[in-house]
Structures are given as structure tokens and as C-alpha cells.
Amino acid sequence: MPKQTFLSLPEDKQNTLIQSAKKEFSRVPLHEASIANIIKDAGIPRGSFYQYFEDKEDLYYYLLNQVAQENNKKLNSILQEKKGNLFEALFEQFRYMISLRHHEEHNDFLRYAFLNMNHRKENTMANNIYKESLKNERSQTLEMVDISFLNIEDKQELSHVIRIVGAITFHNLVQVFVHDLTDEEAIYNYEAQISLIKKGLQRKEVD
Amino acid sequence: MPKQTFLSLPEDKQNTLIQSAKKEFSRVPLHEASIANIIKDAGIPRGSFYQYFEDKEDLYYYLLNQVAQENNKKLNSILQEKKGNLFEALFEQFRYMISLRHHEEHNDFLRYAFLNMNHRKENTMANNIYKESLKNERSQTLEMVDISFLNIEDKQELSHVIRIVGAITFHNLVQVFVHDLTDEEAIYNYEAQISLIKKGLQRKEVD
DNA sequence: GATTATATGTGACACCGTGTCACATGTCAA
DNA sequence: TTGACATGTGACACGGTGTCACATATAATC
């Protein structure tokens, strides 16, 4: 998290730094990005940077979290629209996520995020839904899922469902960027996989 | 891949370097590991290192690939033992993977690998099964799966099944290390999730 | 065995990025 | 005006990387 010093900064100065940071994180993946470039672009001295953030990661995950919160809002609105049907909402959200590639609003920020997806980034993107689902904490998003669509006994099992679809969704998103899939290819694969887990991977006994 | 120079080295000199590398990669995650430490421990000059490997990653993925090949052999033998039943084989393999934590043979090498799992590491660990499944290349492992256990039309769909169970398996392995789960917790979660995707996530219509 | 060519070993060095610290400047209250 | 505290600043020490000119070994040819 940014230090208080940063949050007290006039908004335009915050934005300048954020823009420069996004620019750098869109140029190269996190581990290649340099604070030197960010402050040069933003025109602030090195010492100031460390008044605002702990380090490069601190700034990066602050930005990623902002993006994640936008996505989360989107997911919530889709879930509402789909009346709690998790699978339909997932498709819609997946389509939305891969469509973001074509807007250049976030430049290659998301692209590099997915190309170098790891546990921490995934958790940030998932907005801690994983954690909340485990601890049965109230989560606006989870509350909206209508479990009557799901083949589970109780709400407890929902956390496993969330982890399953989460893992598959992230895996597919990574594939999109790694293999530069077209929207059609990406959606085809994702639908194939979600369809499989919906109906079950195990062949039913022939009675 | 190591350069020819390294492969031509007398075996004991290769091993010294490999041991030092494993030591360093067990001390800290890849991005914090330093060539300086490895060569100091192995007692070889800096210039020599670059005769043998392109860089730190080159060495790291060479080691990870060795571990992956061992795991792959293990998986093959389990698949044979389980007569091609993918799900039973997965359980067994999962148990085996988490049991590795308790041997200190690989020290914390695997631990840091999973704590910082990303696309490239996952792909290396999966031994390119993903790729092979996509391109319908012959893969010893894939050939051993008896698809008559699976709810799929043709062999083509097997690639989606592999990606699904792969994504879930890796997700669970990462959780093991991130949350320091006990063997029991880890197995319980994994079984719950595999069981769900076997029978299907979607509630069957009540006729 | 002498000579040449080719491969491998070596470590000093230039380069670059990080995080810190002593000092400068601003803010605000007494 | 003064002092106390917060914030701004950039030079610097540190540590890591990859390279390059040179040294040494190995092999091949006469």
C-alpha cells in the first residue's frame, strides 16, 4: 500500500506518477521495470518515490488492485444481470477480459500481468475472493451467486467451485496472451472447458 | 539449455555446479538468487559460468526440467499401475508431490518453485504435455490415459480435460506451499475439487 | 617437436538499478 | 520569530550483471 504521504499528494501529482508507472509497466514486465524510468518520466526525484511507496512492487500492486476492483465491479454487475448464474456470468466476464486487449486504455499493462501471472497477481486480480470464500467471510460477489444452479450440497462447497472456475479461467486468460489467441479461439477453448466441468469429466456408467 | 561447453565438462565438475545452484535456488526464489553466490560456492570464476549457461534462468530451467522429468516418470508409472484411470493417477501423483516437501532431497527448491509459480514454470513442470495435447503429438503420458473413463466424444477433447485437471492440480499445489497446508488439508481440498469436476458442477435438472 | 588453430578458462571492469541518508525546504502552531 | 515536524532532494554506497581482452589448454598439422 502507498504511504500516507502519497495519498496526501495533490491529485494531479498522484496522476502524473501513476501514468508514468503504467507506462513503464506497459513497456516491460514487472521484474524488468525500473524505478529510474518511472521517476525520470514523472519528473520526481528518487528520494520522493520512496516517500510515497515502499518499493516497485508496492506501486505495481497498488495499480493492479485498482484494475482488479474495476473488473470486480464489472463481474458483480454481470452476475446481477445473469441472475446469479455463475456459468453465464463467467462467459460474459471472460469475453470482457479478452476484449480489454483491444482497447489501449491499459496499454500492455494487463498483457504483461497475464504473461507473468503468479500467485500474488492472481490473488490480487481475484480480489481476495478466494480467501473470502475459504473463511466464509461476507463477499458481495459470492453472495450474488445462486447456488441452486450448482451441483453442491451446501454453501461451504461453493469455495471449491470458485477455486475450480478461478483456476480454469486464469489458465485460459494466460493462454490467450502467451499464444496470442484470437478472441474466437480463446472463447472456443474456454467454452469447451467450462462445458466439460459443468456436465462432469467422468463418463456416466451405462445402465 | 546449457551450452555444449557445460555438457562436455567432467561429470564431477558439472555436479559441483549443479549442487551449488540447487543450494542457491533453495535459499531464495529465482529472482533473488544470484550468480555471484552460485559461483562462489562452486568455486568457479564468473567468466566460466557464462561459458556454460546463457544466464541464471538458463541454469534454473535446466534444473527444473530435470525435476520435471523425474515427476513425469513417476506419473507414467502411476498411470500404468492405475490402468489408465486419470483421476486415480492424479490423486496418487498429488500425494507424491506434496510428500516431496518432507524429504529434504530437493531442499526448498520445489517450495520456491511453487510459491512463485508462473506460466513458464508450470509449462516446464508439466513437461510440455499441454503443448503435445494441443498438437496431437505423440506423448507417452497422454497415450496411457484410458479415455473410456472420460465423458468425452473423441481424443481431441482430451486436451481440454488435461488443461482442466492441470490447472486445478497446480492451483492446489501452490495453495499447499502458500498456506503451508498439512498433507491432510491439501488432500481433502484436492479430492473435493476433483470429485466436483468428475460429477459435474452443474445441478442436474430434477425430472 | 615446433607451430598453428581452436576451444576453454579467467577475473577485472563498465554498467545499471536499488535503497538510504544527511541535508534542504516547506508548513503550521505557539 | 521561533521551533517542531513533515516532506523534498540527489549524491552515494552497495551489489549484481554480462563482457572482453588476455591466458591457458587441447588438438591438429607439418
Side-chain angles (χ1 to χ4, degrees):
Chain A
M1 279 294 291
K3 301 180 183 176
Q4 186 53 46
T5 324
F6 177 73
L7 300 172
S8 311
L9 239 42
E11 213 170 321
D12 60 330
K13 211 174 172 187
Q14 283 189 32
N15 284 332
T16 308
L17 183 48
I18 285 180
Q19 283 314 310
S20 300
K22 272 205 172 167
K23 197 166 158 190
E24 176 68 358
F25 293 135
S26 300
R27 186 183 69 82
V28 284
L30 172 56
H31 67 279
E32 287 180 42
S34 88
I35 296 175
N37 277 336
I38 296 173
I39 59 175
K40 193 167 62 183
D41 190 82
I44 63 168
R46 188 166 194 80
S48 294
F49 179 90
Y50 287 95
Q51 300 270 23
Y52 305 147
F53 296 94
E54 289 298 329
D55 51 26
K56 201 173 56 174
E57 270 74 28
D58 191 19
L59 169 53
Y60 181 83
Y61 283 98
Y62 174 63
L63 296 185
L64 189 64
N65 190 49
Q66 288 188 335
V67 174
Q69 285 189 9
E70 279 175 41
N71 283 337
N72 206 238
K73 273 186 199 160
K74 182 76 182 178
L75 178 58
N76 285 2
S77 77
I78 292 175
L79 256 174
Q80 189 159 33
E81 188 190 314
K82 301 294 184 186
K83 300 194 166 47
N85 187 320
L86 180 61
F87 300 116
E88 288 188 11
L90 282 173
F91 282 132
E92 194 65 26
Q93 178 75 3
F94 187 80
R95 281 196 205 90
Y96 170 70
M97 290 297 293
I98 60 176
S99 77
L100 287 180
R101 286 187 293 172
H102 311 303
H103 310 325
E104 48 189 326
E105 194 181 352
H106 297 300
N107 298 313
D108 284 327
F109 183 80
L110 268 185
R111 178 181 150 74
Y112 282 118
F114 278 101
L115 279 176
N116 299 284
M117 187 54 61
N118 60 14
H119 167 258
R120 187 173 172 194
K121 293 201 191 82
E122 180 169 335
N123 220 51
T124 303
M125 286 297 286
N127 225 263
N128 292 315
I129 289 181
Y130 289 159
K131 201 177 67 190
E132 285 159 358
S133 78
L134 265 187
K135 300 196 175 174
N136 274 334
E137 285 174 16
R138 54 152 196 70
S139 150
Q140 209 189 336
T141 308
L142 285 178
E143 290 299 330
M144 295 172 73
V145 175
D146 182 349
I147 65 171
S148 73
F149 287 110
L150 301 174
N151 187 21
I152 57 177
E153 299 296 321
D154 51 30
K155 229 173 167 177
Q156 178 63 35
E157 272 194 285
L158 181 58
S159 79
H160 288 129
V161 173
I162 295 299
R163 301 194 93 87
I164 291 168
V165 299
I168 293 174
T169 303
F170 274 97
H171 178 82
N172 274 271
L173 286 171
V174 170
Q175 295 301 310
V176 170
F177 290 99
V178 168
H179 294 116
D180 250 319
L181 301 184
T182 64
D183 287 13
E184 289 71 32
E185 291 170 323
I187 290 169
Y188 175 82
N189 287 340
Y190 189 61
E191 290 198 335
Q193 289 171 34
I194 294 291
S195 160
L196 276 168
I197 59 166
K198 271 166 70 176
K199 68 182 186 194
L201 295 188
Q202 185 167 241
R203 174 156 295 174
K204 307 297 177 290
E205 323 293 330
V206 184
D207 301 314
Chain B
M1 279 293 291
K3 302 182 182 175
Q4 185 54 45
T5 324
F6 177 73
L7 300 172
S8 312
L9 239 41
E11 213 170 320
D12 60 330
K13 210 172 174 189
Q14 283 189 33
N15 284 333
T16 308
L17 183 48
I18 287 181
Q19 283 316 310
S20 300
K22 272 204 173 169
K23 199 166 156 189
E24 176 68 358
F25 293 135
S26 301
R27 185 183 69 82
V28 284
L30 173 56
H31 67 278
E32 287 179 43
S34 89
I35 296 175
N37 276 336
I38 296 173
I39 60 176
K40 193 168 60 183
D41 189 82
I44 63 166
R46 188 167 193 79
S48 294
F49 179 90
Y50 287 95
Q51 299 269 25
Y52 305 148
F53 296 94
E54 290 297 330
D55 51 27
K56 202 173 55 172
E57 271 74 27
D58 191 21
L59 169 53
Y60 180 83
Y61 284 98
Y62 174 63
L63 296 184
L64 189 63
N65 190 48
Q66 288 189 334
V67 175
Q69 285 192 8
E70 280 175 41
N71 284 337
N72 206 239
K73 273 187 199 161
K74 182 77 183 178
L75 178 58
N76 284 2
S77 77
I78 292 175
L79 256 175
Q80 187 158 33
E81 188 189 316
K82 300 294 182 187
K83 299 195 165 46
N85 186 320
L86 180 62
F87 301 115
E88 288 188 12
L90 282 172
F91 282 132
E92 194 65 26
Q93 179 75 4
F94 187 79
R95 280 195 205 92
Y96 170 70
M97 290 297 293
I98 60 176
S99 78
L100 287 180
R101 286 186 292 173
H102 311 305
H103 312 326
E104 47 188 329
E105 194 181 351
H106 297 301
N107 300 314
D108 285 326
F109 182 80
L110 269 185
R111 178 181 150 74
Y112 283 118
F114 278 102
L115 279 176
N116 300 284
M117 187 54 62
N118 59 14
H119 166 259
R120 187 172 173 195
K121 293 200 191 83
E122 181 169 333
N123 219 50
T124 303
M125 285 296 288
N127 225 263
N128 292 316
I129 289 181
Y130 289 159
K131 201 178 66 190
E132 286 158 358
S133 79
L134 266 187
K135 301 197 176 173
N136 275 333
E137 284 175 16
R138 55 152 196 71
S139 151
Q140 209 189 336
T141 308
L142 285 178
E143 289 299 331
M144 295 173 73
V145 175
D146 183 349
I147 64 170
S148 72
F149 288 109
L150 301 174
N151 187 21
I152 58 178
E153 299 296 321
D154 51 30
K155 230 172 167 178
Q156 178 63 35
E157 272 194 283
L158 181 58
S159 79
H160 287 129
V161 173
I162 295 297
R163 301 193 93 87
I164 291 168
V165 298
I168 293 174
T169 303
F170 274 97
H171 178 82
N172 274 270
L173 286 171
V174 169
Q175 295 301 311
V176 170
F177 290 99
V178 168
H179 295 116
D180 249 319
L181 301 184
T182 64
D183 287 13
E184 289 70 31
E185 290 169 323
I187 290 169
Y188 175 83
N189 287 340
Y190 189 61
E191 289 198 335
Q193 289 171 34
I194 294 291
S195 161
L196 276 168
I197 60 165
K198 272 166 68 178
K199 68 182 187 194
L201 296 188
Q202 186 168 239
R203 174 155 295 174
K204 306 297 176 290
E205 323 292 332
V206 185
D207 301 311

